[in-house]
Amino acid sequence: MKISSYAALQAGEALVPYEYDAGPLAAEDVQVAVDYCGVCHSDLSMIDNEWGGSRYPLIAGHEVIGRVVALGDAAQNKGLSIGQRVGIGWTAKSCQHCDACIAGDQVNCQTGKVSTINNHGGFASHLRANWQWVIPLPEALDIVSAGPLLCGGITVFKPLLMHNINATSRVGVIGIGGLGHMAIKLLRAMGAEVTAFSSNASKTDSILAMGANRVVNSRDAQALGELTGQFDLIISTVAVDLDWKPYYQALARQGKFHTVGAVMKPFEVPAFSLIVGDRALTGSSTGSPAQLRALLKLAARVDIAPQIEEFPMSQVNAALEHVRAGKAHYRVVLKADF
């Protein structure tokens, strides 16, 4: 089958129309017609080969909402049906037999995992993925805005599961952009006390409207110094290097500083910042199929929706530049118009 897409032919180049032959559908794969696809900052990182390892032509896009149009022989009777609304996130395949997969931690499969970007992603008319990574959408979920939940949303939801966050927890979120605004909405739904750290004072009212209990200027050393020992968890969503020491000191006893932002510079961590109070520095990637399903069910039940701006997919380059310039409010979603 021929699939139409928009691809980067070289690192950093504008995307161009690109058609490829997807070949026969693998036995355990599902073919999905793309309706919407979110734009994530990691798409830019892959297009620009910021992390190394990108292969071209590169078709980005890994926050896909679409409809099942074909099922491989071994994907029959797996709870999916032709025409069903589904989502596909960062991961498209995993081996299903390594220790990580057997433990339900498929996102950390080291032998079979292929991200949708390397698997030909969702800036396209169609996308293929292994059946277990094709996530059924609850009927109440808004299909236009749901895509960013499949990468940005699960990225900030997973730390809440890892660290047993509940209604008694005190949580800080650094960086209120595409990831951070979803973290606030999820934390608010879970009943936690939420402090947002932002360097942009103009966002204060909108951040409070999202559900944050307070907003602290992340560049105000005095304000940060007054928070010593307060937080059970601080999630950093930013990809830039900061002075992290005040945040370590803001952790409560056994508190966790958790990064999901891809900061390229190594973290500086004074040993006593962790030793005193039995604190920890942790990180995580995206989530398993079970965690993705749980997130979508929660989002549908309590009406959590990312704040989005919509572009037609034919204007993908304009959308990418909008994200690159930091103008997205707060996520960009492409509508397929092939």
Side-chain angles (χ1 to χ4, degrees), residues 48-327:
D48 296 344
N49 200 21
E50 180 181 341
W51 300 333
S54 295
R55 294 178 292 173
Y56 302 88
L58 186 144
I59 303 168
H62 55 273
E63 296 179 341
V64 172
I65 299 296
R67 292 155 287 117
V68 174
V69 294
L71 296 163
D73 291 343
Q76 308 282 339
N77 302 315
K78 301 293 187 183
L80 298 170
S81 58
I82 301 299
Q84 184 176 6
R85 292 279 186 185
V86 294
I88 301 172
W90 175 263
T91 308
K93 296 182 180 180
S94 51
C95 75
Q96 302 184 52
H97 58 76
C98 69
D99 288 348
C101 286
I102 294 299
D105 189 26
Q106 299 95 326
V107 72
N108 285 313
C109 172
Q110 295 299 306
T111 59
K113 185 181 74 171
V114 181
S115 74
T116 57
I117 291 175
N118 292 333
N119 185 57
H120 291 319
F123 296 170
S125 61
H126 296 79
L127 176 69
R128 291 179 177 182
N130 181 269
W131 64 266
Q132 64 180 326
W133 291 102
V134 179
I135 311 300
L137 293 189
E139 286 192 12
L141 207 61
D142 174 51
I143 63 170
V144 178
S145 62
L149 293 170
L150 295 158
C151 179
I154 191 64
T155 296
V156 293
F157 184 55
K158 185 175 179 178
L160 311 186
L161 300 178
M162 290 174 62
H163 299 301
N164 301 309
I165 296 304
N166 56 47
T168 68
S169 301
R170 298 163 298 171
V171 182
V173 180
I174 304 173
I176 314 305
L179 293 175
H181 91 284
M182 285 187 275
I184 290 173
K185 292 188 174 193
L186 288 164
L187 286 162
R188 189 63 170 177
M190 297 170 73
E193 180 183 294
V194 188
T195 297
F197 295 97
S198 176
S199 62
N200 189 343
S202 67
K203 289 184 176 181
T204 298
D205 289 343
S206 64
I207 292 171
L208 292 172
M210 292 172 197
N213 296 94
R214 61 178 170 175
V215 181
V216 175
N217 187 336
S218 58
R219 295 179 178 174
D220 187 335
Q222 180 177 343
L224 293 175
E226 294 172 355
L227 300 176
T228 298
Q230 292 196 17
F231 297 98
D232 303 300
L233 174 67
I234 296 177
I235 301 174
S236 175
T237 71
V238 298
V240 296
D241 189 45
L242 299 176
D243 179 6
W244 305 110
K245 298 181 187 66
Y247 296 103
Y248 304 148
Q249 294 303 316
L251 294 173
R253 178 180 59 84
Q254 296 187 345
K256 309 296 191 296
F257 181 96
H258 190 103
T259 182
V260 295
V263 181
M264 302 309 289
K265 185 177 179 180
F267 282 90
E268 292 186 11
V269 188
F272 279 103
S273 292
L274 304 182
I275 291 172
V276 175
D278 298 341
R279 301 162 175 152
L281 174 63
T282 61
S284 61
S285 58
T286 60
S288 68
Q291 291 167 335
L292 282 162
R293 288 178 180 231
L295 171 60
L296 296 188
K297 289 175 183 176
L298 174 63
R301 180 166 58 84
V302 299
D303 193 24
I304 296 174
Q307 292 178 219
I308 67 162
E309 297 175 85
E310 186 180 324
F311 285 70
M313 195 170 287
S314 56
Q315 295 182 19
V316 60
N317 287 307
L320 290 171
E321 288 309 310
H322 192 67
V323 174
R324 194 187 299 275
K327 296 180 179 179

